């Protein structure tokens, strides 16, 4: 079939779709179909509740084999995001958190910019009923919020994936990258993969905790999230992360009162 | 809840969503949810295969009561479209037919223009597997084609409804009509309701048939469709339809060879 080559070209270079703790196989399959409709293929599942592989997902995917058979399962959201340099959280409900909020169209434009540069990127979706945890939201560089009826704003999971895919595909029409192998149109951003950023946060938070920075205790998680969000807004490069770790180390080791009762 | 008033305002004045012969209740419910997510409420079902009301539709609608409870069932597509002045057919596959093809965004813009003027409008969707008949496509003023992966272009029915709703909603942000009762910003177009146009076509085709115009027989349906499409592209007003019927009558009665062996 003549379309096959083009399909394969279209599914190169798109963002990963990461579904955190999806509840229903049908929704995973329907999301897979929506992804392939718009040329996306990198599906990542964090703890799918009904297990994987899943027959209902296959049935609902209507033949989106390329996506279903390549889907990868992860034990945690950080593991699923580890290699991604740019992470967007899709949610209709930006919470009380200092995060840049983008429309689906703006989000798709940024994804194209990242991928055109040769960077890795993904969009993170929460479970059907509960949405993403605040801790997961805090792993993202920015939020993609799909505008909807304020009186009935909750979108089906696969529908959210569909709309992001649709905007990605529309953006691809104006972008060479979707029509063939990724072209690197400029220098890579050098943005740090999510894993390195999270490890740096863990380092910083251990040191701050040791220094009894997080006080009172009930505000500790929120304080940590706010710090993470501040750094994420900066879009840290690998060099930035190395620098930050050096700063943390220097401050701690230069401080004679630092508690040394834990392992790095 | 503060959002309720705004929801009610948002669902005023949107286009009708007409599902021709939908096969699965789940898809109807999912479409209803997608409609209400984007402020649409006028759902019309032509011969739903699993009957109506339908429990699976209710379950899949996730509480989109306003849409499900007001849905209307029709015996035929012409009946479902009868009062609509502007009809768009949503299909990924524009066939060999002289029809204007619009993107979802362009289609949504036109829907806003129609409704801002006080006209009635709707979008017609075909059944899951087979899509719209050519005869149904020929009832539409234009086609809305959602661009998709050429190697995997078939969208789920509810997903198609979602994307049209999404573009409608985005368009509404730039349009006063979605925020309150429809405002008539200009004169109504006077465009004829679908029913009057179809009756005029039936009149014309009876006369042409009587005059043995449709020859050879196997091309008759296609010839008729091409004629319909030509007139539909013109966007007939009620006055145009009256004029056309006068023309047909005059030509027939002025023609001494016209066969008079049928009833008007």
């Amino acid at each position: 079939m003549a379309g096959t080559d083009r399909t394969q070209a279209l599914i190169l270079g798109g963002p990963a779709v990461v579904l955190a703790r999806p509840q229903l196989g049908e929704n995973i399959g329907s999301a897979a179909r929506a992804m392939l409709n718009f040329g996306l293929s990198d599906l990542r599942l964090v703890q799918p509740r009904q297990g994987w592989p899943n027959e209902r997902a296959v049935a609902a995917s209507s033949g989106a084999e390329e996506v279903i058979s390549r889907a990868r399962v992860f034990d945690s959201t950080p593991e699923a995001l580890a290699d991604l340099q740019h992470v967007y959280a899709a949610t209709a409900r930006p919470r009380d958190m200092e995060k840049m909020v983008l429309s689906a169209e703006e989000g798709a434009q940024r994804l194209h910019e990242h991928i055109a540069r040769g960077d890795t990127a993904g969009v993170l979706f929460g479970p059907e009923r509960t949405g993403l945890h605040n801790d997961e939201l805090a792993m993202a560089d920015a939020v993609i919020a799909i505008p909807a009826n304020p009186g009935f704003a909750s979108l089906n999971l696969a529908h959210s994936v569909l709309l992001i895919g649709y905007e990605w595909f529309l953006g691809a029409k104006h972008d060479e990258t979707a029509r063939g192998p990724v072209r690197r149109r400029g220098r890579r951003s050098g943005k740090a993969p999510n894993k390195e950023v999270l490890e740096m946060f863990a380092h910083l938070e251990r040191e701050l905790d040791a220094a009894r920075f997080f006080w009172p205790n009930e505000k500790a998680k929120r304080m940590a999230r706010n710090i993470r969000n501040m750094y994420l807004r900066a879009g840290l490069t690998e060099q930035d992360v190395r620098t930050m770790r050096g700063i943390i180390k220097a401050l701690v080791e230069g401080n004679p009162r630092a508690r040394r009762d834990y392992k790095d």
Side-chain angles (χ1 to χ4, degrees), chain A residues 165-240:
Chain A
Y166 170 73
E167 289 286 5
W168 158 261
F169 192 84
L170 290 188
K173 288 195 302 184
H174 310 292
D175 189 314
E176 292 179 320
T177 58
R179 289 196 215 110
V182 172
R183 296 196 193 183
R184 304 201 169 154
R185 296 191 307 197
R187 298 181 57 187
R188 297 180 64 160
S189 69
K191 190 159 179 292
N194 201 263
K195 182 175 193 291
E196 291 179 24
V197 177
L198 294 188
E199 284 168 357
M200 185 274 280
F201 285 148
H203 182 188
L204 176 62
E205 288 159 13
R206 273 196 312 273
E207 294 295 355
L208 290 174
D209 201 37
R212 308 191 184 202
F213 172 87
F214 293 119
W215 189 90
N217 204 44
E218 63 271 23
K219 290 195 180 169
K221 285 196 88 165
R222 180 157 180 176
M223 290 168 80
R225 275 203 305 270
N226 288 343
I227 293 169
R228 287 181 175 218
N229 282 329
M230 177 186 71
Y231 282 107
L232 285 170
R233 285 198 303 278
L236 301 178
T237 63
E238 296 189 65
Q239 181 56 54
D240 291 333

Side-chain angles (χ1 to χ4, degrees), chain A residues 5 10 15 61 64 78-79 84 101 142 153 162 185 219 229 257:
Chain A
D5 283 348
L10 276 168
S61 76
E79 287 171 86
L84 301 177
V101 177
L162 179 84
R185 296 191 307 197
K219 290 195 180 169
N229 282 329
R257 283 172 300 171

Side-chain angles (χ1 to χ4, degrees), chain A residues 28-118:
Chain A
I28 300 172
S30 188
R33 177 180 184 176
M35 286 172 65
L36 195 56
N37 281 147
F38 296 119
L40 301 179
S41 69
D42 183 356
L43 175 59
R44 306 177 182 198
L45 308 171
V46 179
Q47 298 175 16
R49 198 179 67 172
Q50 299 179 334
W52 194 260
N54 181 293
E55 279 181 24
R56 291 182 173 197
V58 173
S61 76
S62 291
E65 255 302 305
E66 293 95 318
V67 180
I68 291 287
S69 65
R70 293 180 197 172
R72 284 176 287 166
V73 177
F74 296 85
D75 287 333
S76 72
T77 303
E79 287 171 86
L81 303 177
D83 63 313
L84 301 177
Q85 292 170 288
H86 305 270
V87 175
Y88 294 86
T91 172
R93 292 162 290 176
R95 290 171 183 82
D96 180 25
M97 199 180 275
E98 283 297 321
K99 270 297 185 213
M100 188 190 297
V101 177
L102 306 170
S103 70
E105 187 180 2
E106 291 165 339
Q109 281 168 0
R110 286 180 177 240
L111 289 166
H112 278 287
E113 288 164 15
H114 301 322
I115 285 165
R117 203 184 261 139

Side-chain angles (χ1 to χ4, degrees), chain A residues 114-127:
Chain A
H114 301 322
I115 285 165
R117 203 184 261 139
D119 281 8
T120 52
V123 186
L124 174 64
F125 298 82

